C-alpha cells in the first residue's frame, strides 16, 4: 500500500474576510448538503488506489461550520476508501466563533485530534479591519472548549502587518497566545491581494512599513524561542513533537490527494487542480464528469526543483546527499552561482550536508527561493 496524505477543501465561510483571496463562498445549508454529497463521491473515486493515509486535513474556508452529520458522511467515505491507521494526524481548521462544547465533543468522536484555530489577533480593532467574525473575548473560551472536550493538540494562526498594528499590540497578541498554551503557532505577514476589499480600500489604512513588519517577525522569533517553541519552518513553530505532519509531508515533496472544489493534488508525478467553483463542481460530480481543471505531469527535474524550493522552507533545509543518492542530482554543482551569491550575502549556508536559509534570510525568503524554481 502506498502512503499518501489527504486534504479536503470546505469552501464555505460565514463572512468573507477583507484580506482573503482563498476560494470560499458564503455558507448556504442546501448548497453545503449537495457539496458534501459530491465530495463523498469524489473521495470514493480513490477506492481502488490502495492508499494508506498518513494524515487527513480539513481546510477551507471554514470546515468548523460543518454539522456532525456532514462530517460523519465525510469520515465514513474516507474510511471506506482508504486504509486509515489509528492515531494518524487528523486536523480541522476552525474559526473561534464556530466552536461550542458540543462541536468539540463531536470532533473527538470523529477522531479529529488536531484543531487549527484562526485567531489572527487579540486586538478587536485589528480583527475588525480583517473582517473576522470573532472578537477577542471569544478566543479563550473557544480554545478551552477544544482542549477540554477534544484535544490539546491546538494550533493558533496569527497575523502581523495589519493596518494600525504596532509593536505593542503585536507583542500583546503573542503574549496572549502563549498564555493559552497551544502546541503549535503559524504566523504569516498580511499580504495585500488584488480583488480583496482590503486591497481596494488600502488608501484608508496605514500599514506597518516593511521595516516594521521585519522587526515584528524577528521579535516574534525571539519571543517564541524564549517560550519553548521550535521554529521548524519559515512561518511555523511548535512544541517538541507537534509540528504539522500534514504540512511537513507536503514540504518534503510527498504525495497528497486533494478533494473538493479548488483542491490541489500531487501524485504519480502529476499535479492536479480541481474546478474552483462549487456549483460547477457539484454539477460535474452529479453527471459523473471529471472535476479536474488542470493536470500537469512533471519531469524528474521539476520535481527536484520543487523539493529544493519547498525543503528550503524547513529549518532543517535540504539534504544534499539524499538528492544525490535518489536522483544523482548535485545541488551544489547545479546551483553553484545561486548558492555562492546568497552565501556571500549571508542568506544561505551548508551545514551537516544540508543546504538551508540563514536566520537573516527568513524574512526575504521568497526572493531567494524563487531562484531555485
Ligand atoms: S475564514 Fe479563512 S477562508 Fe474564510 S474568508 Fe476568512 S480567511 Fe478566507
Amino acid at each position: 500500500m502506498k502512503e499518501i496524505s489527504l486534504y479536503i477543501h470546505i469552501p464555505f465561510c460565514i463572512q468573507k474576510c477583507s484580506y482573503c483571496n482563498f476560494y470560499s463562498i458564503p455558507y448556504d445549508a442546501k448548497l453545503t448538503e449537495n457539496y458534501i454529497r459530491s465530495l463523498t463521491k469524489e473521495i470514493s473515486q480513490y477506492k481502488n488506489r490502495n492508499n494508506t493515509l498518513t494524515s487527513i486535513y480539513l481546510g477551507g474556508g471554514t470546515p468548523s461550520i460543518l454539522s456532525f452529520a456532514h462530517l460523519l458522511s465525510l469520515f465514513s467515505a474516507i474510511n471506506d476508501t482508504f486504509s486509515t491507521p489509528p492515531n494518524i494526524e487528523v486536523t480541522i481548521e476552525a474559526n473561534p466563533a464556530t466552536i461550542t462544547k458540543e462541536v468539540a465533543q463531536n470532533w473527538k468522536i470523529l477522531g479529529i485530534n488536531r484543531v487549527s484555530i484562526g485567531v489572527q489577533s487579540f486586538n478587536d480593532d485589528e480583527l475588525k479591519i480583517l473582517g473576522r467574525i470573532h472578537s477577542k473575548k471569544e478566543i479563550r473560551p473557544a480554545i478551552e472548549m477544544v482542549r477540554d472536550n477534544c484535544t490539546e493538540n491546538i494550533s493558533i494562526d496569527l497575523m502581523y502587518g495589519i493596518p494600525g498594528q504596532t509593536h505593542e499590540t503585536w507583542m500583546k497578541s503573542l503574549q496572549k497566545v502563549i498564555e493559552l498554551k497551544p502546541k503549535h503557532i503559524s504566523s504569516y505577514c498580511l499580504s495585500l491581494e488584488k480583488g480583496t476589499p482590503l486591497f481596494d480600500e488600502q488608501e484608508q489604512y496605514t500599514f506597518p512599513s516593511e521595516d516594521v513588519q521585519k522587526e515584528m517577525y524577528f521579535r516574534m522569533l525571539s519571543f517564541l524561542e524564549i517560550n519553548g517553541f521550535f521554529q521548524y519552518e519559515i512561518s511555523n513553530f511548535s512544541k517538541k513533537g507537534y509540528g504539522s505532519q500534514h504540512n511537513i509531508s507536503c514540504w518534503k515533496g510527498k504525495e497528497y490527494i486533494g478533494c473538493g472544489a479548488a483542491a490541489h493534488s500531487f501524485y504519480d508525478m502529476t499535479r492536479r487542480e480541481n474546478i474552483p467553483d462549487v456549483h460547477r463542481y457539484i454539477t460535474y460530480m452529479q453527471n459523473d464528469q471529471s472535476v479536474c481543471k488542470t493536470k500537469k505531469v512533471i519531469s524528474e527535474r521539476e520535481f527536484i526543483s520543487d523539493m529544493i524550493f519547498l525543503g528550503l522552507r524547513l529549518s532543517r533545509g535540504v539534504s544534499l546527499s539524499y538528492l544525490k543518492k535518489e536522483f544523482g542530482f548535485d545541488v551544489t554543482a547545479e546551483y553553484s552561482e545561486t548558492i555562492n551569491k546568497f552565501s556571500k550575502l549571508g542568506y544561505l549556508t551548508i551545514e551537516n550536508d544540508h543546504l538551508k536559509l540563514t536566520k537573516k534570510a527568513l524574512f526575504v525568503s521568497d526572493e531567494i527561493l524563487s531562484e531555485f524554481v
Side-chain angles (χ1 to χ4, degrees):
M1 281 219 175
K2 200 171 173 188
E3 294 193 331
I4 201 157
S5 53
L6 177 67
Y7 175 80
I8 305 285
H9 192 63
I10 307 298
F12 302 109
C13 291
I14 294 169
Q15 171 184 295
K16 193 81 182 165
C17 300
S18 66
Y19 59 93
C20 178
N21 74 338
F22 298 132
Y23 178 61
S24 71
I25 59 173
Y27 175 77
D28 173 276
K30 182 76 193 142
L31 193 61
T32 305
E33 179 76 33
N34 290 333
Y35 182 72
I36 296 296
R37 209 168 294 131
S38 299
L39 198 45
T40 54
K41 195 170 169 184
E42 190 193 0
I43 293 167
S44 305
Q45 289 177 346
Y46 288 95
K47 203 159 190 157
N48 298 324
R49 281 184 49 90
N50 263 347
N51 283 131
T52 296
L53 296 184
T54 51
S55 62
I56 301 171
Y57 195 101
L58 272 67
T62 309
S64 56
I65 48 178
L66 290 186
S67 65
F68 180 64
H70 286 154
L71 286 169
L72 191 59
S73 301
L74 286 180
F75 280 101
S76 301
I78 293 168
N79 290 322
D80 281 352
T81 305
F82 301 100
S83 162
T84 48
N87 304 324
I88 58 166
E89 182 186 272
V90 184
T91 304
I92 189 167
E93 288 181 351
N95 187 295
T98 60
I99 298 171
T100 63
K101 184 177 175 184
E102 195 193 349
V103 162
Q105 285 171 337
N106 287 340
W107 291 345
K108 189 171 175 84
I109 292 168
L110 292 162
I112 290 169
N113 52 25
R114 185 171 183 272
V115 181
S116 173
I117 305 179
V119 166
Q120 313 308 352
S121 166
F122 280 84
N123 180 292
D124 277 336
D125 293 336
E126 293 169 12
L127 288 170
K128 206 167 160 204
I129 289 170
L130 295 175
R132 302 291 298 180
I133 54 168
H134 67 278
S135 63
K136 83 172 173 200
K137 73 173 191 307
E138 290 168 277
I139 300 169
R140 177 180 283 275
I143 288 168
E144 284 172 353
M145 224 110 60
V146 171
R147 181 173 292 120
D148 294 346
N149 299 284
C150 181
T151 176
E152 59 165 13
N153 192 355
I154 295 169
S155 176
I156 290 182
D157 283 358
L158 270 190
M159 201 171 255
Y160 60 98
I162 304 168
Q165 194 175 36
T166 61
H167 286 305
E168 199 195 340
T169 63
W170 173 229
M171 294 312 290
K172 245 187 196 165
S173 282
L174 282 168
Q175 179 59 43
K176 291 277 180 204
V177 169
I178 295 300
E179 287 167 15
L180 292 171
K181 300 186 171 34
K183 298 293 187 193
H184 186 280
I185 296 169
S186 297
S187 180
Y188 292 89
C189 186
L190 174 65
S191 95
L192 259 185
E193 303 290 346
K194 265 191 186 162
T196 61
L198 200 58
F199 183 90
D200 295 340
E201 294 157 13
Q202 58 184 287
E203 310 286 298
Q204 295 176 24
Y205 299 108
T206 309
F207 288 80
S209 68
E210 204 176 312
D211 281 348
V212 172
Q213 290 172 6
K214 189 173 169 186
E215 199 180 332
M216 285 175 170
Y217 178 75
F218 283 108
R219 282 191 188 196
M220 168 180 69
L221 297 194
S222 310
F223 185 74
L224 293 183
E225 194 182 342
I226 291 166
N227 284 284
F229 281 85
F230 169 66
Q231 181 178 23
Y232 69 96
E233 195 265 350
I234 294 170
S235 306
N236 285 277
F237 309 81
S238 77
K239 291 285 182 178
K240 198 163 183 272
Y242 285 93
S244 163
Q245 296 308 312
H246 183 83
N247 289 341
I248 290 172
S249 155
C250 296
W251 288 319
K252 283 185 175 170
K254 300 269 169 70
E255 295 189 322
Y256 54 92
I257 288 172
C259 291
H264 290 246
S265 302
F266 172 58
Y267 55 85
D268 300 340
M269 292 298 270
T270 307
R271 300 204 175 282
R272 296 171 170 82
E273 185 199 353
N274 279 357
I275 302 164
D277 181 316
V278 168
H279 299 277
R280 278 202 295 146
Y281 173 84
I282 294 171
T283 309
Y284 282 30
M285 284 309 303
Q286 281 170 347
N287 296 331
D288 294 322
Q289 290 171 280
S290 168
V291 290
C292 180
K293 181 189 157 216
T294 56
K295 187 172 164 182
K296 184 176 183 273
V297 178
I298 62 164
S299 64
E300 186 175 281
R301 181 66 184 80
E302 285 172 296
F303 178 63
I304 292 166
S305 284
D306 285 354
M307 281 193 80
I308 299 170
F309 177 83
L310 294 168
L312 280 173
R313 296 193 61 90
L314 293 166
S315 304
R316 53 184 275 181
V318 177
S319 166
L320 303 176
S321 60
Y322 174 80
L323 289 175
K324 183 83 183 155
K325 190 168 149 241
E326 290 296 313
F327 306 100
F329 190 85
D330 187 338
V331 180
T332 49
E334 294 283 339
Y335 290 105
S336 60
E337 227 175 88
T338 308
I339 293 173
N340 280 340
K341 179 173 82 177
F342 288 121
S343 297
K344 274 186 196 146
L345 291 167
Y347 288 143
L348 275 178
T349 180
I350 295 176
E351 277 171 28
N352 302 325
D353 172 52
H354 282 74
L355 176 69
K356 50 170 120 172
L357 296 175
T358 62
K359 195 170 178 180
K360 181 180 162 188
L362 297 177
F363 192 75
V364 288
S365 57
D366 286 352
E367 287 159 60
I368 301 166
L369 297 182
S370 65
E371 300 230 5
F372 287 92
V373 176

